Structures are given as C-alpha cells and as structure tokens.
C-alpha cells in the first residue's frame, strides 16, 4: 500500500495541535516539526505502508487555477502576495524539509502545482492500493473502491482518523462515491474562494449529481428539455455557464502533473545520519526521531 501525505495539511494541524511552548533548546518553536514527525511515525506504525511520499505545495495558488477563477484562495493572500502563514510556522517548514530529506523520506513538490496535484498524480500512477492522509475534503474526489483508494481524514486528529471510501462519501453527501468534484463545483467552497452556482446548495447539488451522474450530463440536460430539471434550476445553471466552464479545471486535482519518477520505498536507514543527528540535537527532536526510527524499523 502506498501512503501519500498531504504534508501542508498535516503540519498545519500539528502547528495548531501542539503547544508553541514546545521549543528547541534555543527557544525556537518546533511544535509543527515534532507534531508532524509523530504523525508520520504513528501512520507508518499503524498502517504498515510499502511506500511513502510527503507531498508538498511548490505553489499553493497555481497560476492556471487563478487564471480560471481569480478569487481562488484570495482570502489567504498575505500583503506580499504569498500565502498568509503564522509567523512562527514559516521557519519550521524549512526544518521539516531538512529532517525529511535527511531521514530519506521522499519529499515531492512540483513547480506550478499544489500538494493535491502531486497526490493525484501518484494515485493515478499507482498500480496498487493507496491511502491519502489529509484534512482536506477536496481529495475525497480520488476515492475509488475498485483499486482501492481511500482518504484517511484527519479532521478529528491523527489518533481518530476517519477512513473515507465511496460509501463514506455517499453517506456524508448523498452523492455517488466518485462524484465529489462535480458536487463541489456546483455547491462551491468558500474556503477555497469558489463561488459555486448561486442558489444551488448542498442538497440541490447532491440531488442534481445523483440524478444525472456527472456535471457534463447535467449540463447536457440543461441545454435540452429534460423534465427532471425545474425552470429555476435551468435558469441558475444557464446564468452560471461561464463559471461552470472553468471551475472543473480548478476543483479537480491533476492526475498528470510533471512529477518526477521517485523511489517511494520506506527508507531502511537514514539517508544522511549525521545531518539527521545534527538536526535532532539543534532542534531538540531526539524523542520524535527515536519514535520515527522505531516505526521505520531502523537499527539502533
């Protein structure tokens, strides 16, 4: 089984879940670093993956998504045009990258794409089962019982993970299990700056996707005389045609991002033991690194 980590989602959860009083010997906050390392150790120990990838945001707001919908993630823009990130988290991201690299855990980001797209591409390439660890509902669009692909949803924390398969998507939203992206296009997502179709909320979006099976089929029906659509629904869809023409490319994760071929095997030993030991000493990470080493089966 391949375990794909939505790393930004996880280190944000660690940052807010572990007190900032957790610091390095020099007083530097390392709560996100320690929390993420313990998350990875727990996931490896409990799920025994054969492969592992820490997927990263090389671009948290890709140009192709902004060009399609300018409001995409605008609420998270900082004054300098970058992503608004807690001041004490920013330097920890660099430490996270250094620790993952020294440990030998594959860390992958691709210019112009988000971590979601890296996850989508690795999922499309995988010949076997995939578990995706995230707190982001957008990745529910990848669940596929036939392969199988699941989301391990962290909304209640890493120790209370909710496995999400097609039945869980259906139970939560009342839609076919593989239709989350089309559903999200219709109802919108304020957390990502996606307006959705005005007048179409969760229940209507779910009913329309369930009735027609897909967004293209729904739009084809709207162009015709299908009696399953009310006059009001037809009018709302017609008024939102410009949005509906571009939104799918924004909502759907890329299955074909230019992700390099990467060995995703779990490291049998640290890639750079000296660098890892140095980072552990500098940032006071001996305990979480010991737990990670035990989970990965490294010899002491």
């Amino acid at each position: 089984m391949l375990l794909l980590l939505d790393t930004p989602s996880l280190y944000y959860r660690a940052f807010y879940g572990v007190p900032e009083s957790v610091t390095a010997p020099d007083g530097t906050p390392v709560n996100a670093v320690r929390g993420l390392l313990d998350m990875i150790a727990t996931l490896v120990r409990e799920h025994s993956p054969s492969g592992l990838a820490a997927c990263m945001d090389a671009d948290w707001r890709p140009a192709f998504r902004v060009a399609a919908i300018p409001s995409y993630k605008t609420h998270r823009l900082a004054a300098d045009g970058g992503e608004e990130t807690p001041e004490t988290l920013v330097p920890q991201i660099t430490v996270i990258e250094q620790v993952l690299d020294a440990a030998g855990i594959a860390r992958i980001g691709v210019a112009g794409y988000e971590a979601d797209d890296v996850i989508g591409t690795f999922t499309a390439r995988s010949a076997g089962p995939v578990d995706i660890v995230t707190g982001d509902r957008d990745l529910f669009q990848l669940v596929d019982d036939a392969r199988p692909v699941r989301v391990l949803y962290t909304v209640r924390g890493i120790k209370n993970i909710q496995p999400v398969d097609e039945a869980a998507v259906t139970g939560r939203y009342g839609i076919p299990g593989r239709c989350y992206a089309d559903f999200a296009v219709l109802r919108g997502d304020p957390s990502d700056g996606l307006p959705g179709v005005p007048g179409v909320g969760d229940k209507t979006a779910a009913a329309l996707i369930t009735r027609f099976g897909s967004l293209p089929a729904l739009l084809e029906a709207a162009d015709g005389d299908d009696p399953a659509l009310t006059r009001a629904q037809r009018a709302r869809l017609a008024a939102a045609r410009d949005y509906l023409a571009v939104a799918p490319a924004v909502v759907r994760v890329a299955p074909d991002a230019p992700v390099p071929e990467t060995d995703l095997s779990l490291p049998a030993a640290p890639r750079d033991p000296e660098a890892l030991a140095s980072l552990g000493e500098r940032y006071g990470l001996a305990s979480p690194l010991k737990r990670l080493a035990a989970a990965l089966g490294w010899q002491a």
Side-chain angles (χ1 to χ4, degrees):
M1 181 267 291
L2 175 61
L3 189 67
L4 300 175
L5 308 180
D6 180 359
T7 314
S9 171
L10 296 181
Y11 64 59
Y12 265 93
R13 172 163 288 279
F15 177 78
Y16 288 110
V18 179
E20 284 192 65
S21 57
V22 175
T23 62
D26 66 358
T28 303
V30 290
N31 53 324
V33 184
R34 291 180 65 101
L36 178 65
L37 291 175
D38 278 334
M39 287 179 181
I40 295 173
T42 297
L43 289 163
V44 170
R45 185 174 63 251
E46 294 186 355
H47 296 277
S48 302
S50 56
L52 175 66
C55 303
M56 308 292 290
D57 281 337
D59 190 340
W60 69 279
R61 194 170 177 256
F64 74 92
R65 291 193 167 103
V66 176
I69 298 181
S71 63
Y72 184 65
K73 293 186 177 179
T74 51
H75 62 295
R76 288 163 53 185
L77 277 171
D80 62 2
E83 183 177 14
E84 192 169 30
T85 306
E87 185 178 349
T88 53
L89 173 58
V90 174
Q92 295 191 62
I93 297 172
T94 300
V95 178
I96 286 167
E97 293 172 345
Q98 293 172 339
V99 171
L100 293 176
D101 290 349
I105 293 172
R107 177 177 65 86
I108 306 98
V110 178
Y113 291 89
E114 301 177 59
D116 286 9
D117 301 309
V118 177
I119 289 169
T121 300
F122 276 133
T123 299
R125 289 179 184 176
S126 178
V130 177
D131 277 352
I132 299 162
V133 187
T134 184
D136 185 352
R137 296 174 300 174
D138 291 345
L139 289 167
F140 289 177
Q141 65 186 273
L142 296 177
V143 300
D144 183 345
D145 290 354
R147 300 189 50 192
V149 177
R150 302 186 305 171
V151 166
L152 302 181
Y153 194 40
T154 61
V155 70
R156 294 181 181 172
I158 203 73
K159 294 182 179 179
N160 294 290
I161 278 181
Q162 298 174 271
V164 176
D165 56 10
E166 290 186 43
V169 172
T170 299
R172 183 184 293 259
Y173 299 107
I175 57 175
R178 299 186 197 179
C179 292
Y180 184 83
D182 287 347
F183 168 73
V185 167
L186 284 177
R187 67 120 189 235
D189 188 347
S191 68
D192 279 341
L194 299 173
V197 177
V200 175
D202 285 19
K203 289 184 178 179
T204 300
L208 290 173
I209 291 300
T210 299
R211 169 66 179 83
F212 293 98
S214 70
L215 183 59
L218 169 61
L219 296 179
E220 183 178 349
D223 288 338
D225 297 318
D226 195 310
L229 283 171
T230 67
R231 181 178 299 178
Q233 289 170 343
R234 199 182 301 276
R236 288 174 182 137
L237 292 169
R241 266 312 180 110
D242 288 346
Y243 162 76
L244 291 170
V246 297
V250 176
V251 172
R252 292 194 176 96
V253 302
D256 55 359
V259 177
E261 293 296 332
T262 308
D263 181 5
L264 302 182
S265 302
L266 272 65
R271 177 181 293 138
D272 190 335
E274 292 184 5
L276 192 62
S278 177
L279 288 163
E281 182 176 356
R282 178 179 177 183
Y283 294 106
L285 303 174
S287 295
L289 286 176
K290 183 176 181 180
R291 290 188 285 272
L292 179 65
L296 291 168
W298 293 346
Q299 297 298 318

